[in-house]
Amino acid sequence: MKMKVSRLNSIEQYVISRETVSIDELCEVFGVSKNTIRRDLNELEMRGHITKVYGGVTATVPSGAVPTPIRSSLNTVDKSLIGRLAAEEVEDGDTIFIDSGTTTLCLLRFLVAKKRITIITHSLGALSEASKYDNLNIISLGGIYSPTTDSFVGLSAIEALSSMRINKAFMGATGVSLTAGMTNTTFLEAEIKRAVVHRADSIYGMADSSKIGREAIVTFCHLKDLTAFITDREPPKEYVDLCHQENVKLRYE
C-alpha cells in the first residue's frame, strides 16, 4: 500500500512539473503496465490536480497555483542547487528579501555561516525556516494569508515595504521567458513582487530549468532588470545571449 501511495504521489508530481505527459512515457518512467497507469490516473484525477486526455494526462492548473506541499516536492535537487548558488551572493551584513515559493526557500539553509543577515519576507514557509537559525534577524510583512502561495498578501504588506531598505531580493517565478520575463499566476502575489523589485538594490531571479520557456499570466520583472539569474543548468542559447547583452550575471552548474 505504501509503495502504491508513493507511486501515485510521484506520478502526480511528474505530471505537474511537465504539464502534459503521455501514457507511454509514464509507463517507461515508472516501470509499470498501461493498465496500472490507467488505474493510477483514475485515482489521481479525483485529487483535482490532473485530468486525463486522449493518450495521456495533463495538469489542470499551472504549477505555481498548485498547493505548496506538492510544489515543494518537485525538482528538489535542482532547487537545493539553486539555493546554494544564491547563498553565495549574500554577504555579511546584507538585508535580503526572500520571496514566497519553494525555490527561494532553499536559500535559507545555506546562510548558516553568514553574519548579521536580516531577512524580510511575506512567506510563512520562509519565516518558519529562518527561525531555525540564530544568525538571522527576521522581519515579517503583514497582510492576508493566502494558502495557495503560503504567504501574506494585500495592501498592508505593500505599505510595510515602503519604509524598508533591501540590499538584495531573491525572487522566484512560475515561468521565465524572453518576452514576458519573470511571471506569476497570482495577481496579489505579483503586486508584492513588483513592489520589492522597485525597492531592492539588486534583484536575483531564481528558477529551475523546468520554468524556462514558460509564461504565467502576470509579469512582475523583465530579465533585463535582473542583477543575476540563477538556475540549475545552462539555459538555451537565446537566454544566455540576452543575459550577456543586458549584463545580467548567469549562474548555474
Side-chain angles (χ1 to χ4, degrees):
M1 184 63 180
K2 286 184 178 180
M3 183 179 296
K4 179 182 178 181
V5 171
S6 176
R7 186 178 71 246
L8 287 172
N9 290 338
S10 295
I11 292 171
E12 184 176 47
Q13 293 161 15
Y14 188 84
V15 173
I16 289 171
S17 67
R18 285 159 179 79
E19 295 190 338
T20 299
V21 184
S22 70
I23 287 177
D24 288 339
E25 181 179 347
L26 291 174
C27 290
E28 181 179 351
V29 170
F30 293 96
V32 294
S33 68
K34 287 187 177 181
N35 286 336
T36 298
I37 284 294
R38 289 192 178 101
R39 286 195 296 268
D40 288 348
L41 294 179
N42 285 336
E43 291 190 41
L44 288 174
E45 197 169 28
M46 291 187 290
R47 297 186 184 182
H49 298 137
I50 67 173
T51 188
K52 290 182 293 182
V53 296
Y54 182 76
V57 63
T58 186
T60 57
V61 292
S63 60
V66 174
T68 300
I70 294 178
R71 284 189 289 120
S72 64
S73 60
L74 300 175
N75 305 323
T76 53
V77 174
D78 295 339
K79 291 175 181 178
S80 183
L81 166 63
I82 294 168
R84 176 173 60 79
L85 293 176
E88 293 175 2
E89 301 293 327
V90 179
E91 300 174 346
D92 291 347
D94 274 344
T95 296
I96 67 175
F97 181 86
I98 302 293
D99 194 15
S100 67
T102 56
T103 303
T104 49
L105 191 63
C106 293
L107 162 65
L108 289 164
R109 75 187 69 160
F110 296 102
L111 296 179
V112 65
K114 307 289 183 178
K115 300 176 182 178
R116 305 183 313 282
I117 302 298
T118 297
I119 304 293
I120 300 173
T121 188
H122 66 311
S123 164
L124 183 58
L127 290 170
S128 177
E129 179 68 18
S131 68
K132 300 175 183 178
Y133 307 102
D134 294 336
N135 63 315
L136 302 180
N137 301 311
I138 307 168
I139 299 175
S140 172
L141 302 181
I144 300 169
Y145 179 69
S146 168
T148 301
T149 57
D150 193 36
S151 64
F152 297 93
V153 297
L155 184 59
S156 58
I158 295 174
E159 288 179 342
L161 282 168
S162 65
S163 62
M164 295 181 183
R165 176 71 182 274
I166 301 170
N167 297 131
K168 297 169 182 175
F170 293 88
M171 313 297 291
T174 303
V176 180
S177 78
L178 294 175
T179 54
M182 304 277 288
T183 58
N184 187 258
T185 57
T186 309
F187 283 96
L188 290 175
E189 185 75 22
E191 285 300 308
I192 292 178
K193 291 175 182 284
R194 286 196 191 106
V196 171
V197 166
H198 287 144
R199 293 205 61 80
D201 296 333
S202 301
I203 307 159
Y204 296 82
M206 299 171 63
D208 66 72
S209 53
S210 71
K211 308 284 184 66
I212 297 176
R214 295 169 54 185
E215 294 182 6
I217 192 169
V218 188
T219 296
F220 65 87
C221 179
H222 290 283
L223 292 178
K224 65 181 178 63
D225 299 321
L226 297 176
T227 304
F229 180 64
I230 306 170
T231 187
D232 54 295
R233 64 199 69 179
E234 184 176 10
K237 183 178 184 300
E238 57 268 30
Y239 289 83
V240 176
D241 290 344
L242 184 145
C243 288
H244 179 72
Q245 292 165 10
E246 300 294 343
N247 198 29
V248 176
K249 185 178 182 180
L250 183 60
R251 296 210 59 186
Y252 59 86
E253 283 191 0

